[in-house]
């Protein structure tokens, strides 16, 4: 395989038809006139290792990874970034010229980049953050908030032991709060993040009481379907600064695109429009 060929990249998942990555990458390839192709690849769990060992030999320079493979690819990869190891999952694979597979996780980067773009005044020093949920997405969010320098995180999850496990993994800056008391942490938080799937189309609403939200608090939801969740609508009404979740999906793709196609793409209104179309 030679990297002088038209670069190939893609996304591996199962199912893969719901992935927005092909639309996003093709939009950037076209916008910037880059040579390259980006291909959705449905891969069953039993075939994962064989696939990621084979596609570099066909001209693939890397790929994104989505559900259900994000944890397993980390075990298969030859090397992993610190952030991927810390999060325990990878969403971006780089196929190096020496044949080694390098795993990275850009979800936390995408989360912070989206926050900064959507709320330009946001800074980690504004105060404690409240994180709702303790699944895979929460791991990336917590790792990136701590890495950015947020002083304290209040973490609340329906299944409390999962929040306790994240506290054990990420340390003393995390305070676990019972799910029934999640409303109480809104008052103290300068940043509020929903990482649960509540509020997503087809899921129940997030019912955490929001009357404690303060004017100026930055509130963001990882759910982007719908774009304006009940959390964001109520936060806006309370005078909070709101940031929708679509941008995280777009920003997490930036490092991969730059690596594979040689140019750092912008996340702008045209990018959003292309993906929403
Ligand atoms: P992801 O990778 O998107 O984070 P996940 O790992 O399946 O997905 O995590 C889903 C999150 O949404 C969890 O925090 C989950 O809470 P539990 O750990 O208690 O399952 C949360 N979640 C999903 N459905 C929920 C519900 N009906 N009520 C409260 N929390 C819910």
């Amino acid at each position: 395989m030679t990297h002088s060929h038209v670069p190939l990249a893609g996304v591996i998942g199962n199912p893969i038809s719901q992935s927005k990555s092909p639309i996003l990458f093709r939009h950037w390839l076209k916008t910037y006139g880059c040579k390259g192709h980006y291909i959705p690849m449905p891969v069953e769990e039993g075939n994962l290792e064989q696939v990621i060992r084979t596609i570099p030999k066909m001209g693939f320079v890397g790929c994104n990874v989505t559900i259900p493979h994000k944890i397993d690819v980390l075990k298969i990869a030859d090397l992993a970034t610190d952030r991927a190891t810390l999060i325990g999952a990878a969403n971006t694979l780089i196929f190096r010229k020496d044949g080694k597979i390098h795993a990275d996780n850009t979800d936390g980067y995408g989360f912070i980049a989206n926050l900064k773009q959507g709320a330009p005044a946001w800074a980690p020093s504004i105060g404690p953050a409240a994180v709702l949920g303790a699944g895979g997405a929460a791991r990336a969010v917590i790792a990136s908030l701590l890495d950015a320098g947020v002083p304290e995180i209040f973490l609340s999850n329906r299944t409390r032991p999962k929040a306790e496990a994240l506290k054990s993994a990420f340390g003393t800056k995390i305070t676990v709060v019972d799910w029934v008391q999640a409303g109480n942490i809104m008052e103290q938080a300068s940043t509020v993040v929903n990482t649960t799937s509540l509020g997503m189309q087809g899921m129940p609403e997030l019912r955490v009481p929001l009357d404690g939200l303060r004017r100026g608090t930055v509130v963001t939801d990882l759910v982007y379907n719908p774009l304006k969740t009940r959390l964001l609508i109520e936060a806006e009404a309370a005078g909070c600064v709101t940031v929708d979740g679509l941008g995280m999906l777009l920003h997490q793709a930036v490092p991969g695109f730059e690596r594979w196609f040689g140019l750092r793409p912008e996340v702008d209104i045209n990018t959003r429009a292309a993906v929403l179309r």
Side-chain angles (χ1 to χ4, degrees):
M1 201 257 312
T2 143
H3 284 249
S4 62
H5 287 152
V6 172
L8 303 179
V11 56
I12 290 178
N14 189 27
I16 200 61
S17 55
Q18 84 300 342
S19 172
K20 304 243 185 244
S21 296
I23 299 168
L24 172 62
F25 275 79
R26 288 168 185 172
H27 165 76
W28 280 335
L29 284 168
K30 198 167 153 216
T31 300
Y32 297 110
C34 296
K35 284 199 163 61
H37 299 285
Y38 189 92
I39 298 151
M41 294 175 278
V43 176
E44 284 176 17
E45 268 141 312
N47 296 331
L48 181 64
E49 176 150 18
Q50 196 185 4
V51 167
I52 68 170
R53 292 279 171 207
T54 302
I55 59 174
K57 299 171 188 159
M58 299 160 54
F60 276 78
V61 291
C63 67
N64 291 118
V65 181
T66 186
I67 292 164
H69 301 314
K70 290 172 87 165
I71 294 169
D72 289 337
V73 287
L74 193 58
K75 297 176 199 145
I76 298 168
D78 303 301
L79 303 131
T81 58
D82 289 345
R83 57 190 184 182
T85 306
L86 185 65
I87 295 165
N91 69 341
T92 305
L93 298 180
I94 293 146
F95 303 142
R96 298 188 348 178
K97 287 179 185 170
D98 64 5
K100 295 245 189 305
I101 295 171
H102 194 199
D104 192 9
N105 193 316
T106 65
D107 284 334
Y109 160 79
F111 170 72
I112 297 287
N114 183 42
L115 209 53
K116 286 182 173 168
Q117 188 177 42
W122 183 86
S125 55
I126 61 174
V131 174
L132 304 174
R139 283 188 85 90
V141 165
I142 289 168
S144 66
L145 284 171
L146 291 175
D147 186 53
V150 164
E152 188 176 8
I153 294 176
F154 299 106
L155 176 62
S156 188
N157 192 52
R158 174 182 60 176
T159 310
R160 187 178 169 116
K162 281 168 71 179
E164 302 281 3
L166 287 190
K167 181 181 167 64
S168 303
F170 287 101
T172 52
K173 287 185 178 166
I174 297 179
T175 304
V176 175
V177 177
D178 224 67
W179 186 239
V180 289
Q181 274 152 14
N184 298 350
I185 57 183
M186 299 299 150
E187 221 167 314
Q188 301 166 66
S190 304
T191 310
V192 174
V193 190
N194 175 41
T195 78
T196 75
S197 40
L198 294 172
M200 193 185 288
Q201 203 172 48
M203 287 289 292
E205 284 293 356
L206 179 70
R207 294 259 169 240
V208 169
L210 300 171
D211 29 301
L213 279 176
R214 285 181 287 130
R215 178 167 286 277
T217 293
V218 176
V219 179
T220 184
D221 202 327
L222 267 48
V223 170
Y224 59 84
N225 182 21
L227 266 183
K228 283 213 170 189
T229 57
R230 174 177 165 263
L231 169 66
L232 296 185
I233 292 166
E234 291 196 13
E236 209 171 281
C240 299
V241 179
T242 60
V243 183
D244 72 49
L246 182 66
M248 176 175 171
L249 174 83
L250 308 180
H251 282 283
Q252 62 77 32
V254 168
F257 188 95
E258 182 178 25
R259 179 87 192 197
W260 303 324
F261 301 114
L263 183 150
R264 195 165 182 86
E266 287 290 327
V267 174
D268 56 17
I269 47 166
N270 295 327
T271 320
R272 283 175 67 91
V275 171
L276 289 172
R277 210 172 283 142

